[in-house]
Amino acid sequence: EPEVTQTPSHQVTQMGQEVILRCVPISNHLYFYWYRQILGQKVEFLVSFYNNEISEKSEIFDDQFSVERPDGSNFTLKIRSTKLEDSAMYFCASSKGLAGPYEQYFGPGTRLTVT
Amino acid sequence: KQEVTQIPAALSVPEGENLVLNCSFTDSAIYNLQWFRQDPGKGLTSLLLIQSSQREQTSGRLNASLDKSSGRSTLYIAASQPGDSATYLCVSTGGGADGLTFGKGTHLIIQP
């Protein structure tokens, strides 16, 4: 069964460094999403992406974040200058269409630790 | 802005019991309601998805109900097993490109 994959599973970085989290969505899906979950807190929506542009973003998704689909398979989240509070689990998801009948499928997550 | 609340925050029951997890949401204009399972340090596993036009969905020992008018959903787990121990997340979906809105979850422990 097709699944969303994410790499790396765990990333440790120093404050101020740039990180890129990678996701490979399910191949025939058109909508891509990033979520984050700070330890002990809710999963929070960051951004949705369709047709090579951002569809929606939350207030969390500020100028230090960016997303890209550099080729036909990868979907990336870049954090330009990491802060301690960026430490969280980051989940990628994809769906065939907009929310509604089109279920979002989640990857296993990347645990980001900023020291 | 949609808010999803789950009660209780934590629940511990002996193996074999039937149990109900509760979820409420503030905006009834949802497109669907979904229940996920999350194991410690792991990803999200979708359990059941209820379309807004539906009242319930069943999968094995799990049954989820949806009452849009009252802004409530329940997840019923029959004959609980230790392997059911996990955090259960209630998630609502709007109709646009917005992401999902997650509840904080119910941390369930099934005692052998």
Side-chain angles (χ1 to χ4, degrees), chain A residues 70-87:
Chain A
D71 53 43
S73 58
N74 289 285
F75 178 52
T76 61
L77 174 69
K78 183 193 290 185
I79 309 175
R80 265 180 267 285
S81 178
T82 50
K83 299 179 250 190
L84 293 175
E85 54 265 37
D86 293 327
S87 295

Side-chain angles (χ1 to χ4, degrees), chain A:
Chain A
E1 187 175 324
E3 57 183 21
V4 177
T5 59
Q6 291 185 242
T7 53
S9 57
H10 191 189
Q11 172 102 39
V12 181
T13 190
Q14 288 191 326
M15 196 166 52
Q17 295 296 305
E18 174 183 287
V19 294
I20 298 176
L21 309 183
R22 291 183 166 79
C23 168
V24 179
I26 294 172
S27 61
N28 62 346
H29 284 188
L30 301 176
Y31 289 81
F32 315 114
Y33 310 83
W34 283 102
Y35 295 82
R36 81 170 184 193
Q37 185 180 31
I38 295 171
L39 188 64
Q41 298 189 22
K42 293 184 182 187
V43 176
E44 301 171 289
F45 167 71
L46 291 178
V47 65
S48 60
F49 190 86
Y50 169 72
N51 200 27
N52 281 319
E53 59 183 31
I54 290 173
S55 298
E56 294 283 344
K57 59 182 181 178
S58 71
E59 58 270 18
I60 302 168
F61 193 87
D62 61 22
D63 291 345
Q64 70 159 345
F65 292 96
S66 62
V67 289
E68 193 179 31
R69 188 149 162 85
D71 53 43
S73 58
N74 289 285
F75 178 52
T76 61
L77 174 69
K78 183 193 290 185
I79 309 175
R80 265 180 267 285
S81 178
T82 50
K83 299 179 250 190
L84 293 175
E85 54 265 37
D86 293 327
S87 295
M89 183 78 102
Y90 289 81
F91 294 105
C92 173
S94 69
S95 64
K96 283 185 182 177
L98 277 177
Y102 298 103
E103 186 174 346
Q104 291 182 27
Y105 293 82
F106 283 79
T110 292
R111 181 168 298 283
L112 176 64
T113 302
V114 182
T115 61

Side-chain angles (χ1 to χ4, degrees), chain B residues 54-73:
Chain B
Q54 298 173 322
R55 289 290 218 160
E56 65 180 338
Q57 281 286 340
T58 298
S59 175
R61 294 182 293 106
L62 305 179
N63 175 275
S65 68
L66 174 64
D67 184 343
K68 270 186 62 174
S69 60
S70 67
R72 294 182 190 280
S73 176

Side-chain angles (χ1 to χ4, degrees), chain B residues 15-44:
Chain B
E15 180 179 4
E17 284 201 4
N18 304 325
L19 56 100
V20 175
L21 308 182
N22 295 292
C23 170
S24 61
F25 45 93
T26 54
D27 186 350
S28 62
I30 62 170
Y31 209 104
N32 61 45
L33 193 292
Q34 200 165 357
W35 285 90
F36 284 84
R37 168 184 173 140
Q38 185 174 30
D39 292 281
K42 303 288 187 185
L44 307 169

